[in-house]
């Protein structure tokens, strides 16, 4: 058992974490019986690690007796307890269903018994039990939100002036990957952390997780590292390939897969597309109270996955060729995919401001949206808005000092 966990064995921190948000529900006896059809019981001993941060877990654990602590590693490299669960609760979070590396470690702190079910089996079982399915999915979505809010997960260390730092931050945020950004310019511990991992400031931005370091990774490298689904998990030949995983593409994937077609959606950046950046969508069918774009995207990906559709992230289609009823799609990294039908759901591309050299500032000072993500990047600094002024906008921004020049 790790010292961090051992130290707390007798402390109040090992009291079960209260279920304030509905993220840690208890399963009923009937629900446990449903899951038991696909799994097996086994005893657990204090100190045993069931899930390890940074490694993929292929099992779903239900606690039948005893207690399990969920821990994460802080900036100093020390593991600390963030939750404690007892009988009736289950482990896991959203990434486990999607095959991502785990963003937490689960360690037994009180001996007992668990039910172990392969994640594949859980996917199949919950399809036939809507109540159980809702309970697990809701808990997993909430747990992912908590991990993001509390800034667990990997660390991105880089300068606020670096376009690559901005790129990695945006990729992590848009893909809802738990992480923390440490600004080389302002955070005093950044240099110390780099030294600890034997990295110099010239290598920044770097991504650090567990003992591993990625030096200025591409989005695809980061995606593969955390286990976002890669093109090589594709079926050799699909009935339908959807290019783009915004609302339209994910909708197409859900309908195609639910009709029994072998379906895959390919997304070059992040699921949800433009909608994924919206903090609240009020006019989407079925959500009278509104829903955030990120939540909508996560639910849609899970829904598509429930019917067997695969969603591949950070893979861009650059060429489509058709021959005799077969379509070949070429990926930016050189691979290719064959499909009987292709749905192009690639959304919109923004008109760019025509100023020489502006590309090097895009995503790092020049933005084509004003969502929460851009607000995070801009902080409290002054902002200039360039754009076409509609009569409505003119009414809203009627005092010109901060709306300086309208084109
Ligand atoms: C901040 C914001 C708030 C919004 N709020 C609302 C709202 O409240 N209500 C509303 O109705 N609409 C809203 N919209 C508009 C709405 O989001 C869009 O109409 C919707 O996202 C369009 O969906 P789509 O799937 O057609 O395209 P997109 O959402 O643009 O998705 C297309 C996807 O295809 C991917 N792609 C493109 N080319 C390739 C390629 N070659 N290979 C692989 N992938 C590719 C892109 O990366 C993208 O993820 C909002 C938009 C924004 C930006």
């Amino acid at each position: 058992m790790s010292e961090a966990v051992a130290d707390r064995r007798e402390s109040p921190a090992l009291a079960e974490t209260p279920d304030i948000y509905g993220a840690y529900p208890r399963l009923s006896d009937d629900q446990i019986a449903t899951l038991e059809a696909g799994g097996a019981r086994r005893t657990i001993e204090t100190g045993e690690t069931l899930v390890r941060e940074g490694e993929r877990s292929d099992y779903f654990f239900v606690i039948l007796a005893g207690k399990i602590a969920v821990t994460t590693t802080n900036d100093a490299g020390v593991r600390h307890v963030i939750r404690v669960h007892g009988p009736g609760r289950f482990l896991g979070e959203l990434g486990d269903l999607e095959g991502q590396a785990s963003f937490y470690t689960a360690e037994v702190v009180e001996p007992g018994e668990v039910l172990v079910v392969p994640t594949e089996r859980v996917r199949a079982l919950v399809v036939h039990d809507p109540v159980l399915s809702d309970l697990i999915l809701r808990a997993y979505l909430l747990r992912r939100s908590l991990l993001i809010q509390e800034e667990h997960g990997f660390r991105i260390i880089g300068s606020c002036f670096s376009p690559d730092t901005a790129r990695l931050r945006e990729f992590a945020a848009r893909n809802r990957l738990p992480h923390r950004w440490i600004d080389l310019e302002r955070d005093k511990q950044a240099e110390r952390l780099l030294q600890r991992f034997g990295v110099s400031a010239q290598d920044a931005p770097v991504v650090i997780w567990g003992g591993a370091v990625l030096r200025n990774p591409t989005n695809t490298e980061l995606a593969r590292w955390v286990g976002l689904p890669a093109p090589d998990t594709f079926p050799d030949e699909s009935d339908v390939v959807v290019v783009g995983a915004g609302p339209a593409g994910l909708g197409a994937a859900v309908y195609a897969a639910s009709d029994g077609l072998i379906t895959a959606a390919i997304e070059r950046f992040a699921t949800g597309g433009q909608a994924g950046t919206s903090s609240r969508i009020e006019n989407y069918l079925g959500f009278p109270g509104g829903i955030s774009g990120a939540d909508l995207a996560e639910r849609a990906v899970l829904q598509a996955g429930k019917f067997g559709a695969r969603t591949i992230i950070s893979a861009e289609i650059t060429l489509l060729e058709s021959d005799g009823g077969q379509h070949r799609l070429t990926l930016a990294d050189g691979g290719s995919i064959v499909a009987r039908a292709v749905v192009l759901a690639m959304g919109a591309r923004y008109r760019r401001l025509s100023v020489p050299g502006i590309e090097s500032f895009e995503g790092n000072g020049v933005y084509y949206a004003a969502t929460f993500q851009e607000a995070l990047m801009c902080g409290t600094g002054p902002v200039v808005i360039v754009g076409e002024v509609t009569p409505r906008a003119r009414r809203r921004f009627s005092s010109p000092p901060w709306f300086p020049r309208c084109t």
Side-chain angles (χ1 to χ4, degrees):
M1 179 168 37
S2 73
E3 277 177 34
V5 177
D7 288 348
R8 288 170 159 80
R9 200 181 326 180
E10 303 305 332
S11 74
L14 281 191
E16 216 184 12
T17 308
D19 187 16
I20 305 168
Y21 308 102
Y24 316 117
R26 272 180 232 286
L27 297 173
S28 67
D29 290 346
D30 285 350
Q31 288 166 336
I32 292 175
T34 302
L35 290 164
E36 200 159 1
R41 289 172 181 247
R42 79 166 174 83
T43 55
I44 46 171
E45 300 302 333
T46 304
E48 201 181 318
T49 300
L50 302 180
V51 180
R52 206 177 287 279
E53 188 174 356
E55 292 176 16
R56 180 181 155 148
S57 166
D58 291 321
Y59 297 98
F60 178 86
F61 294 93
V62 181
I63 306 163
L64 301 173
K67 270 189 191 165
I68 291 175
V70 174
T71 67
T72 59
T73 314
N74 64 17
D75 291 344
V78 177
R79 270 201 290 139
H80 62 117
V81 178
I82 58 166
R83 333 258 184 252
V84 177
H85 300 308
R89 290 191 181 174
F90 53 91
L91 300 180
E93 64 96 35
L94 194 67
D96 296 337
L97 274 190
E98 295 177 357
Q100 293 174 15
S102 300
F103 284 93
Y104 64 95
T105 293
E107 193 169 313
V108 180
V109 287
E110 198 178 289
E113 190 180 26
V114 286
L115 173 64
V116 190
V117 191
T119 313
E120 270 309 314
R121 289 286 297 147
V122 174
R123 280 197 203 98
L125 289 168
V126 298
V127 166
H128 304 293
D129 188 329
V131 178
L132 182 58
S133 167
D134 270 5
L135 184 105
I136 296 174
L137 295 187
R138 191 178 130 75
Y140 275 13
L141 286 164
L142 284 165
R143 290 177 192 187
R144 173 54 61 108
S145 295
L146 288 170
L147 286 176
I148 292 170
Q149 268 169 36
E150 295 166 5
E151 298 192 323
H152 299 295
F154 54 81
R155 309 285 185 272
I156 298 173
I157 307 177
S159 160
C160 55
F161 303 117
S162 147
D164 280 324
T165 303
R167 169 181 61 76
L168 289 167
R169 288 180 65 203
E170 190 189 359
F171 185 77
R174 290 276 307 277
N175 280 291
R176 308 259 299 152
L177 299 173
H179 71 283
R180 191 162 102 75
W181 169 48
I182 299 172
D183 186 356
L184 256 181
E185 310 296 331
R186 297 193 180 106
D187 201 318
K188 290 195 180 74
Q189 62 160 332
E191 289 277 355
R192 229 182 12 251
L193 252 179
L194 288 180
Q195 271 169 17
R196 187 150 63 80
F197 284 90
V199 187
S200 75
Q202 281 72 45
D203 293 321
V206 295
V207 182
I208 293 174
W209 199 17
V213 181
L214 287 186
R215 290 169 168 78
N216 195 8
T218 62
N219 292 347
T220 307
E221 283 165 344
L222 180 56
R224 301 303 159 253
W225 200 45
V226 298
L228 294 181
D232 54 17
T233 61
F234 246 62
D236 283 345
E237 197 179 304
S238 303
D239 293 319
V240 181
V241 166
V242 183
V243 184
L250 289 171
V254 167
Y255 286 115
S258 65
D259 268 344
L261 300 171
I262 300 171
T263 305
I266 302 185
E267 169 55 48
R268 70 173 167 198
F269 194 72
T271 56
Q274 294 171 68
T277 60
S278 171
S279 54
R280 195 125 211 106
I281 298 172
E282 303 276 0
N283 59 345
Y284 204 79
L285 192 69
F287 293 94
I291 183 168
S292 80
D295 269 3
L296 183 71
E298 268 173 357
R299 282 164 188 269
V301 170
L302 287 173
Q303 194 177 12
K306 187 168 117 170
F307 293 114
R310 290 191 180 275
T311 309
I312 309 299
I313 314 286
S314 195
E316 183 172 13
I317 297 298
T318 52
L319 183 67
L320 167 64
E321 295 164 295
S322 302
D323 183 19
Q326 292 283 53
H327 307 283
R328 180 170 294 279
L329 297 123
T330 305
L331 293 151
D333 71 1
S336 69
I337 295 159
V338 175
R340 272 186 279 282
V342 175
V343 178
L344 299 178
M346 301 181 304
R349 285 207 184 188
Y350 295 104
R351 190 153 47 106
R352 297 317 217 211
L353 193 61
S354 105
V355 173
I358 199 163
E359 307 77 43
S360 53
F361 296 98
E362 284 176 2
N364 189 37
V366 174
Y367 307 98
Y368 288 95
T371 71
F372 179 65
Q373 297 311 334
E374 288 75 32
L376 283 180
M377 302 281 188
C378 295
T380 51
V383 174
V384 174
I385 303 169
V386 181
E388 206 170 295
V389 193
T390 60
R392 188 164 166 231
R394 194 177 289 283
R395 276 199 301 280
R396 283 176 70 187
F397 303 110
S398 52
S399 45
W402 53 279
F403 197 6
R405 190 146 171 232
C406 309
T407 52

